[in-house]
Amino acid sequence: MLTRDSRGAALLGGLPLHDILHDPAVAPSPGEPPTPAYVYDLDAMAHEVRALRAGFGSAPHLVAYAVKANTAGPIIRTLARQGCGAEVVSGGELAVALRCGIAADAILYSGVAKKKIEIDAAIGAGDRGILAIQIENVEEIARVSARAQALGRRARVSLRINPDIEADTHAKVATGHDEAKFGIAREDLPAAWDALDRAAHLDLVGLSCHIGSQLMRTNEYIDAAGVLLQCAAERERASGRLQFVSFGGGFGIDYGGGCDTKPQAFAQAVVKKLATAGLEGPTIVTEPGRALVGAHGLLCARVIAAKHSRSGRRWLLIDAGMNDLVRPAMYGAKHRIEPLDAPPHATDTSLWRVAGPVCESSDDFGEHPFVEPPDFVLIRDAGAYGFTMASEYNGRPLPVEVFIEQGRVAHVIRPRSVDSWVSERAGC
Ligand code: LLP
């Protein structure tokens, strides 16, 4: 958790961020913190899982961590130790989840356009493939069945249903409405059941849905759960028990503007909803990404320059850009930006527009209050969809990642250097 000491210096997981950035395992040359740098608090992430799991009480459940939020091994291993499975969307994510110790039996694979090689990896994992390949369209049923036949195995699948429910969130992260490419529309379900009955090499083990991300209330999530449970009851009546129902992820976090609904509230609400659904006790699956890791990662950056214009505008130009954290440029997201070594909420502040080095006007993190330009800033709530969406645009290497556990720097992931980027691009 991010805290401040009596002088206002930022601490993560109890360790001063200043010391983390100067730790010999982090800074290759003394006194030269390698910014931009992502810093994560693994203990706080483990705590998030425990709090969410408490919300399910004694109901059978699986928290399938949406690996797309953050694919770092130390994070996946930490969440796996708390009993998480994984929700993955590519062969790469599947392989990293397995390598980090998540059992094949606890992995769901979603995605509207899975390649043959990816389907084969999912069917071939472990003793009997992954828990379920989430089928996103009717056409996929025959494709997956054919691959299972070719591999001489049965494949476990779930149908991802598009419940046609508009989530109250940013249009770019809403997925459960009828215009979305995701999932099978209700009117296409009869065709899906027919195709499943013809698919000799598949076992339908679950139904799922996911209506979108950064949900700040349970209303639409529960509406979608209602649709899913109706479909599940119909299917159970026709052809027997389902092993699980997955209501997807999407639990929101507080980016500074407030978010009163905690992940636990979603868990409690679906447990209650399931109790009245008349099903034969399926496991409740949720697929949270952001809620487990988002608030527990920071992006630290160095202030390169402070620019004043005669119009009165002040710019703080930092060495982290939209290639390192694309959420502000892509979704207009506002992440709080604070000085590393000074109290963030002093009274005599003025607003500075914080911008990065990338040659795009959208490389702009918005206006933030500072008393004076600091040497370093931290960008809050960057643990989810930060590093995983980063790119090397403008010839900028990916940021270093530092993992704090039990009050010490436990792991560092150092990406390739500018020199190796140059060699690869130049071809010599
Ligand atoms: N399950 C499925 C099928 C998903 O598509 C997603 C996210 C999740 C689970 C996890 O959602 P979460 O709990 O993290 O909200 N890049 C965007 C978010 C995109 C989410 C994509 N799908 C952002 O930075 O806000």
Side-chain angles (χ1 to χ4, degrees), residues 64 66 68-69 87 89 110 134 136 160 172-173 175 182 209-210 212-215 248-251 255 287-291 327 331 384-385 389:
K68 62 177 85 63
E87 185 263 348
V89 291
S110 328
Q134 308 230 71
E136 299 248 9
R160 175 167 174 188
K172 285 191 178 156
V173 297
T175 52
F182 302 100
C209 66
H210 171 78
S213 203
Q214 186 56 12
L215 309 176
F251 315 148
Y255 281 100
E287 307 169 11
R290 185 192 321 264
R327 301 192 71 260
Y331 313 114
Y385 307 110
M389 294 180 80

Side-chain angles (χ1 to χ4, degrees), residues 37-340:
Y38 276 100
V39 187
Y40 306 106
D41 179 350
L42 296 177
D43 299 315
M45 293 177 182
H47 177 80
E48 292 290 355
V49 181
R50 288 194 294 273
L52 171 59
R53 295 197 61 186
F56 290 102
S58 58
H61 66 274
L62 171 68
V63 176
Y65 165 57
V67 167
K68 62 177 85 63
N70 196 317
T71 50
I75 291 179
I76 301 178
R77 286 190 189 90
T78 297
L79 302 183
R81 278 196 295 274
Q82 297 301 321
C84 283
E87 185 263 348
V88 302
V89 291
S90 68
E93 285 190 1
L94 171 60
V96 84
L98 288 167
R99 199 167 311 170
C100 290
I102 298 200
D105 227 18
I107 298 180
L108 297 175
Y109 184 172
S110 328
V112 298
K114 306 175 192 82
K115 294 184 206 203
K116 203 192 273 185
I117 187 176
E118 295 175 317
I119 295 172
D120 287 3
I123 296 174
D127 294 340
R128 51 188 198 128
I130 62 170
L131 170 58
I133 297 175
Q134 308 230 71
I135 299 282
E136 299 248 9
N137 50 65
V138 177
E139 292 73 9
E140 198 180 4
I141 295 172
R143 290 181 64 217
V144 175
S145 186
R147 292 317 304 158
Q149 180 174 23
L151 296 172
R153 279 193 162 197
R154 297 192 67 75
R156 290 181 286 172
V157 298
S158 63
L159 286 198
R160 175 167 174 188
I161 290 170
N162 186 324
D164 192 11
I165 283 174
E166 201 82 40
D168 182 30
T169 185
H170 193 287
K172 285 191 178 156
V173 297
T175 52
H177 53 89
D178 65 349
E179 297 284 302
K181 64 180 176 175
F182 302 100
I184 299 176
R186 270 184 102 175
E187 64 257 33
D188 296 328
L189 268 184
W193 302 142
D194 281 353
L196 273 172
D197 293 339
R198 284 195 305 273
H201 303 276
L202 302 187
D203 295 315
L204 179 73
V205 292
L207 295 188
S208 67
C209 66
H210 171 78
I211 61 164
S213 203
Q214 186 56 12
L215 309 176
M216 313 258 272
R217 58 185 193 201
T218 58
N219 305 39
E220 291 82 5
Y221 194 81
I222 292 306
D223 292 346
V227 172
L228 191 74
L229 291 171
Q230 251 177 30
C231 300
E234 278 163 30
R235 182 67 193 178
E236 281 205 347
R237 275 195 299 276
S239 32
R241 184 170 180 266
L242 292 169
Q243 191 183 328
F244 72 83
V245 279
S246 174
F247 303 113
F251 315 148
I253 63 168
D254 182 1
Y255 281 100
C259 177
D260 293 338
T261 312
K262 300 282 170 262
Q264 231 177 343
F266 289 88
Q268 284 159 348
V270 290
V271 168
K272 212 164 128 199
K273 190 87 183 167
L274 186 68
T276 58
L279 294 176
E280 291 180 43
T283 297
I284 302 175
V285 180
T286 53
E287 307 169 11
R290 185 192 321 264
L292 302 184
V293 299
H296 307 302
L298 304 168
L299 179 57
C300 298
R302 187 189 299 263
V303 174
I304 302 288
K307 165 179 162 175
H308 295 82
S309 79
R310 286 188 63 188
S311 65
R313 177 152 277 175
R314 300 179 182 84
W315 298 86
L316 213 56
L317 303 168
I318 64 174
D319 70 353
M322 63 186 280
N323 70 299
D324 304 303
L325 178 67
V326 78
R327 301 192 71 260
M330 191 158 170
Y331 313 114
K334 183 100 188 243
H335 285 250
R336 287 168 285 181
I337 302 186
E338 301 173 359
L340 196 74

